[in-house]
Amino acid sequence: VTSRSFAPGEWRSKATLAMPDHQALVLLPRLLPRLRERAPHLDIVTDPLLAGALRRLELGEIDLAVGQISDTPPGYLRRSLYSDRFACLLRQDHPALAQDWTIERFATLRHAVIASGSEDGFGQVYDGLAKLDLPDRDPMLVPNMLTAPAMIAETDLVLTVPHRVATRIAAMMPLAVVEPPLELPPY
C-alpha cells in the first residue's frame, strides 16, 4: 500500500482481519478512510474470533490478527499497536456515581463481561477483585461490544473495558466513564 510503484486503480484484493469487536471499534474508523484512499479496491472483512489466530494465519484463513495474542513462535511478525488502561462504564444516572467510588462499592456492583472467547485481558478486573475479601459476584456474560453498552445504559450493571473503547462508546450513548477504584495491569 505504501510502495511508490503501486498502482491503486489496477489492484484488487481482499484482506480478512481477525479482531474482536472492541478492537474494530477503536481501530477501523481511523484505518478504513486511509485504506480507501491508498487502496480503493481493497475489501476488508473482519472476523471477531481471535481464538486460534496463529493456526488460522498458517492456513490462510485470515491475513492479519489484531488483539492480545500472548506468544508467537518464530516466523510471525508481531507489533504492539498501543497500550491502554481500563475504565468503567455506568449509566449516567447510576446510583453508585452519587457515592464514594471505592473498591468495596465497585465489588458489590453487578458486572457485565464481554464473552469474547479469547484471552483478551478482560478477566484481569475479576482477578483483582478475587484478592479482596468481598462477596462473590458472578458477572453477566454479554455476547459482544454492541449489546453490552445498551444493557449498561438501561441497568445498574457496570462494564470494565479498555479506556479507548469506553470513551468511544460513551460518546454515542448516555454512559459515564469512571476510573476503576483498583489498580489493574495495562491492557
Side-chain angles (χ1 to χ4, degrees), residues 84 155 173 182:
D84 205 351
T155 67
M173 300 184 79
L182 69 159

Side-chain angles (χ1 to χ4, degrees), residues 63-92:
D63 301 298
L64 182 69
V66 178
Q68 294 217 358
I69 301 170
S70 54
D71 293 318
T72 53
Y76 287 90
L77 176 64
R78 179 178 171 179
R79 294 284 187 261
S80 177
L81 296 178
Y82 63 88
S83 179
D84 205 351
R85 66 187 193 279
F86 283 100
C88 300
L89 283 172
L90 298 98
R91 65 182 166 93
Q92 285 181 342

Side-chain angles (χ1 to χ4, degrees), residues 121-139:
F122 288 131
Q124 294 173 20
V125 174
Y126 305 99
D127 294 343
L129 287 178
K131 295 175 187 172
L132 304 173
D133 187 23
L134 297 167
D136 186 24
R137 297 264 184 202
D138 291 325

Side-chain angles (χ1 to χ4, degrees), residues 2-180:
T2 60
S3 169
R4 300 242 187 269
S5 62
F6 176 66
E10 301 169 9
W11 182 76
R12 296 185 92 54
S13 191
K14 175 180 95 169
T16 301
L17 312 178
M19 78 171 42
D21 59 353
H22 70 280
Q23 293 286 0
L25 180 69
V26 170
L27 298 172
L28 290 182
R30 291 179 51 202
L31 176 64
L32 291 179
R34 289 177 175 174
L35 285 175
R36 182 62 58 205
E37 178 183 305
R38 293 183 181 160
H41 301 294
L42 176 62
D43 294 327
I44 300 294
V45 177
T46 60
D47 179 343
L49 298 177
L50 199 55
L54 295 179
R55 181 78 179 129
R56 293 168 62 210
L57 283 165
E58 288 174 0
L59 295 172
E61 294 174 3
I62 59 174
D63 301 298
L64 182 69
V66 178
Q68 294 217 358
I69 301 170
S70 54
D71 293 318
T72 53
Y76 287 90
L77 176 64
R78 179 178 171 179
R79 294 284 187 261
S80 177
L81 296 178
Y82 63 88
S83 179
D84 205 351
R85 66 187 193 279
F86 283 100
C88 300
L89 283 172
L90 298 98
R91 65 182 166 93
Q92 285 181 342
D93 60 347
H94 195 292
L97 294 173
Q99 302 168 354
D100 288 338
W101 188 237
T102 63
I103 293 173
E104 292 78 18
R105 170 105 36 240
F106 177 72
T108 60
L109 296 174
R110 185 82 195 268
H111 292 259
V113 178
I114 310 297
S116 65
S118 68
E119 297 177 14
D120 56 14
F122 288 131
Q124 294 173 20
V125 174
Y126 305 99
D127 294 343
L129 287 178
K131 295 175 187 172
L132 304 173
D133 187 23
L134 297 167
D136 186 24
R137 297 264 184 202
D138 291 325
M140 167 145 325
L141 292 176
V142 182
N144 57 53
M145 192 53 75
L146 176 63
T147 305
M151 286 179 46
I152 299 304
E154 300 292 329
T155 67
D156 285 341
L157 291 167
V158 60
L159 177 68
T160 305
V161 293
H163 189 265
R164 283 183 173 96
V165 173
T167 55
R168 189 116 178 126
I169 290 170
M172 297 182 274
M173 300 184 79
L175 298 169
V177 178
V178 182
E179 296 296 321

